[in-house]
């Protein structure tokens, strides 16, 4: 498919298309479910005397960080392709400000709420602070998938407006938020203490399985974007 696109598109667009396609293909390795929570909690964590819990800690954070890296590259590729399409049409001045603003908004998100958690560093700091930093890591993981959704929705809404100006699509890109991922960290922490850890198990299950129920929505939008890119 990429070879066909390269034959049809001007050279300045090929790099952008390849960048988008590569970021989307990475989801086959990155956006995958972890070991079943029930298997992990009821069996593996016990027979390994808790060691597998550390493995899961690393896997959860690595999955988040790899997803963030992949999506950041995807957003950058889509905006780069959009700029080059606008330039080819002679409409770059029409959408330049919108593209710049959207790129800056994405960049801010990946410098703040969506910045890498870094499993190795987080584990080390958790040990050094006698577990205190673990609460920071828990806070980041608890809200990450909600923040990722809001960034995606805003990106798709604003990209749709830009593409409409360029005549690239007639229908807006629509990303549906999952409100169940918007959880109060303080409330869940209090409930965990009040229930002597029972609610913490529920919370842990949610954190473990959160992305499994979101990947499909993210991938659907990416496929729609790729269809527009390949059609133009």
């Amino acid at each position: 498919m990429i070879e066909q696109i390269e034959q049809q598109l001007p050279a300045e667009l090929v790099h952008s298309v390849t960048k988008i396609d590569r970021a989307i293909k990475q989801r086959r390795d990155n956006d995958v479910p972890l070991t079943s929570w029930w298997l992990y909690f009821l069996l593996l964590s016990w027979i390994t005397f808790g060691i597998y819990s550390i493995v899961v800690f690393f896997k959860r954070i690595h999955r988040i960080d790899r997803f963030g890296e992949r999506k950041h590259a995807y957003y950058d590729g889509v905006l780069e392709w959009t700029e080059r399409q606008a330039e080819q049409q002679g409409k770059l001045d029409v959408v330049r400000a919108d593209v710049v603003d959207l790129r800056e908004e994405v960049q801010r998100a990946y410098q703040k709420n969506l910045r890498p958690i870094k499993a190795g560093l987080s584990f080390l700091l958790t040990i050094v602070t006698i577990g205190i930093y673990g609460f920071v890591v828990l806070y980041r993981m608890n809200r990450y998938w909600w923040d990722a959704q809001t960034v995606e929705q805003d990106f798709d809404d604003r990209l749709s407006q830009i593409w409409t100006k360029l005549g690239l699509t007639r229908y807006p890109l629509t990303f549906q938020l999952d409100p169940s991922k918007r959880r109060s960290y303080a409330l869940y922490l209090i409930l965990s203490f009040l229930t002597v850890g029972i609610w913490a198990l529920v919370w842990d299950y949610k954190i473990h399985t959160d992305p499994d129920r979101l990947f499909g929505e993210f991938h659907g939008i990416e496929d729609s974007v790729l269809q527009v890119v390949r059609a133009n």
Side-chain angles (χ1 to χ4, degrees):
M1 178 62 72
I2 290 296
E3 288 77 8
Q4 296 175 356
I5 293 175
E6 289 180 354
Q7 295 174 3
Q8 298 170 2
L9 293 180
E12 63 270 14
L13 287 174
V14 173
H15 174 72
S16 301
V17 176
T18 304
K19 190 173 183 179
I20 297 169
D21 189 72
R22 184 181 298 118
I24 290 177
K25 285 182 177 178
Q26 286 175 349
R27 71 193 190 193
R28 293 180 296 190
D29 298 320
N30 296 345
D31 302 359
V32 295
L34 300 178
T35 303
S36 166
W37 185 87
W38 296 102
L39 178 62
Y40 143 65
F41 177 72
L42 296 177
L43 180 62
L44 296 177
S45 62
W46 293 96
I47 64 176
T48 60
F49 302 100
I51 294 176
Y52 195 75
S53 297
I54 298 175
V55 174
V56 169
F57 174 86
F58 274 83
K59 285 186 173 182
R60 288 175 181 174
I61 295 177
H62 277 313
R63 181 168 61 168
I64 287 174
D65 287 349
R66 288 197 304 266
F67 176 84
E69 182 180 0
R70 183 185 76 78
K71 289 297 291 186
H72 198 179
Y74 161 80
Y75 292 141
D76 189 56
V78 171
L79 290 175
E80 183 180 295
W81 179 86
T82 301
E83 281 183 320
R84 291 178 177 176
Q85 268 287 340
E87 186 176 11
Q88 186 181 28
Q89 295 182 22
K91 297 180 180 179
L92 186 56
D93 290 340
V94 176
V95 299
R96 188 196 304 273
D98 294 329
V99 173
V100 169
D101 287 345
L102 184 51
R103 179 178 283 115
E104 290 178 350
E105 190 67 28
V106 170
Q107 189 64 27
R108 278 194 293 270
Y110 280 92
Q111 290 173 346
K112 295 181 180 180
N113 294 339
L114 299 184
R115 70 187 185 279
I117 301 176
K118 299 179 180 178
L121 179 60
S122 295
F123 183 71
L124 178 61
L125 290 175
T126 299
I127 294 176
V128 170
T129 59
I130 319 176
I132 295 175
Y133 191 77
F135 289 101
V136 177
V137 176
L138 180 60
Y139 172 81
R140 296 284 311 282
M141 289 194 292
N142 181 66
R143 68 171 294 166
Y144 183 89
W145 295 106
W146 173 255
D147 290 334
Q149 286 186 92
T150 57
V151 169
E152 178 71 35
Q153 186 182 63
D154 181 63
F155 181 87
D156 295 334
D157 289 345
R158 295 169 68 175
L159 182 66
S160 295
Q161 296 173 16
I162 295 170
W163 279 6
T164 298
K165 292 179 181 179
L166 296 175
L168 297 174
T169 183
R170 291 183 297 173
Y171 305 103
L173 299 166
T174 305
F175 182 86
Q176 187 66 40
L177 293 175
D178 180 353
S180 69
K181 304 301 179 285
R182 189 177 189 179
R183 296 186 293 263
S184 168
Y185 177 76
L187 176 61
Y188 271 58
L189 195 61
I190 292 171
L191 288 174
S192 298
F193 282 114
L194 291 179
T195 59
V196 197
I198 295 176
W199 188 257
L201 298 179
V202 176
W203 193 5
D204 188 68
Y205 173 82
K206 290 177 179 290
I207 288 176
H208 190 83
T209 59
D210 272 348
D212 300 344
R213 300 166 184 175
L214 293 176
F215 285 149
E217 189 73 20
F218 281 110
H219 297 173
I221 287 291
E222 291 169 4
D223 291 341
S224 296
V225 168
L226 190 58
Q227 286 178 2
V228 173
V229 169
R230 287 173 172 171
N232 291 276

